[in-house]
Amino acid sequence: MNREQLEHVEQIAMGIVVQALTDYRQQILTIFQEEIDQPQDIAEDVTREALDALGVSSIGERLYGKVDYKKAIYAFLPKPQPVALMLDAKSEKINGNRTATIQMSQTSMNVRMKRSGKILDEQGKMDTFIERNGRKLLVVTIIAKYIYDESQQHRELKRIIVACIPNGALQEDYNPNAEDTIWLAGRDAPTLGEDFRVRLSYKKLMSKASWRVKEIALKG
């Protein structure tokens, strides 16, 4: 699989997730407003429910990883391409609409960037491909972020932003060095020994490929 084909598979998987959340958006709006669970728990539940409601071409393989929704599926090119869909749900209050914070276990890319004047090159812990029973599944990582506003007696979903993180095989296209990057400093505190985290910049990623970041219209 060449780079163009790989990116096309990612785009198909992204389209599946965007369509699932679009079809399920009215239920998502209602659930965020009426449920009393924590927003992060709701985000994980509605993401899973949306994909289950849409239905996808499943492959009977069990996947592992530190994301909320893991499923082996087929993307059709038109030939079926095995995909390991790694979909993580995040929730944040209204001001968190420019970035998504991830752990290194949620990307197969090297994170190349500058932080506090130092050049960093942190290796992602996710594989670019997963092999199961003779199949080679392309790992596609997608983040669905639910941005909400909240008062003492009311919670309202404001935005859903979906972003597809490039597979590590596309490193040179999206983050070849610390100067040409899609990342911003994370919210971990190195002085406290916290695990390294990084923020994916929607703006920087969209400048590389606009299809990789989509906002779900909540009305329509």
Side-chain angles (χ1 to χ4, degrees), residues 31-215:
I31 293 167
F32 259 88
Q33 185 174 354
E34 295 181 354
E35 291 287 341
I36 60 173
D37 291 343
Q38 292 297 316
Q40 180 59 36
D41 294 334
I42 294 174
E44 294 170 12
D45 287 345
V46 298
T47 299
R48 188 178 304 108
E49 290 165 13
L51 268 293
D52 290 345
L54 178 69
V56 293
S57 300
S58 301
I59 303 172
E61 300 288 355
R62 184 173 177 82
L63 301 179
Y64 304 92
K66 293 186 177 180
V67 295
D68 299 313
Y69 184 92
K70 305 172 282 289
K71 197 173 188 67
I73 67 172
Y74 281 116
F76 294 91
L77 302 180
K79 290 185 178 180
Q81 169 63 47
V83 170
L85 177 60
M86 300 292 185
L87 174 57
D88 201 61
K90 300 182 183 297
S91 67
E92 194 167 337
K93 284 195 174 181
I94 192 68
N95 61 349
N97 57 3
R98 295 185 177 89
T99 64
T101 299
I102 68 164
Q103 305 170 42
M104 296 310 294
S105 58
Q106 295 174 331
T107 182
S108 58
M109 295 189 75
N110 281 48
V111 171
R112 295 169 178 168
M113 61 180 292
K114 287 184 177 180
R115 179 169 175 172
S116 301
K118 296 181 180 180
I119 293 177
L120 300 181
D121 190 345
E122 293 282 337
Q123 174 65 57
K125 297 179 181 179
M126 191 175 279
D127 293 327
T128 55
F129 287 87
I130 295 174
E131 293 195 16
R132 291 283 189 277
N133 296 318
R135 291 191 186 95
K136 191 173 183 180
L137 292 82
L138 174 68
V139 176
V140 179
T141 309
I142 297 176
I143 306 296
K145 188 170 185 181
Y146 300 82
I147 300 165
Y148 65 95
D149 199 6
E150 190 173 41
S151 62
Q152 283 188 330
Q153 298 179 338
H154 181 73
R155 180 191 296 140
E156 182 180 1
L157 184 65
K158 293 293 188 179
R159 305 177 73 180
I160 305 174
I161 301 176
V162 185
C164 181
I165 302 175
N167 184 282
L170 299 173
Q171 183 79 46
E172 297 305 311
D173 297 318
Y174 285 91
N175 182 206
N177 54 62
E179 302 290 341
D180 188 357
T181 187
I182 57 175
W183 310 106
L184 297 173
R187 293 169 180 165
D188 59 295
T191 57
L192 299 179
E194 294 180 351
D195 289 340
F196 181 82
R197 289 183 294 170
V198 68
R199 287 182 297 153
L200 175 69
S201 166
Y202 295 146
K203 182 178 179 179
K204 290 177 180 290
L205 182 56
M206 288 182 70
S207 72
K208 299 279 189 178
S210 60
W211 67 264
R212 286 190 178 271
V213 181
K214 295 293 183 184
E215 181 165 355

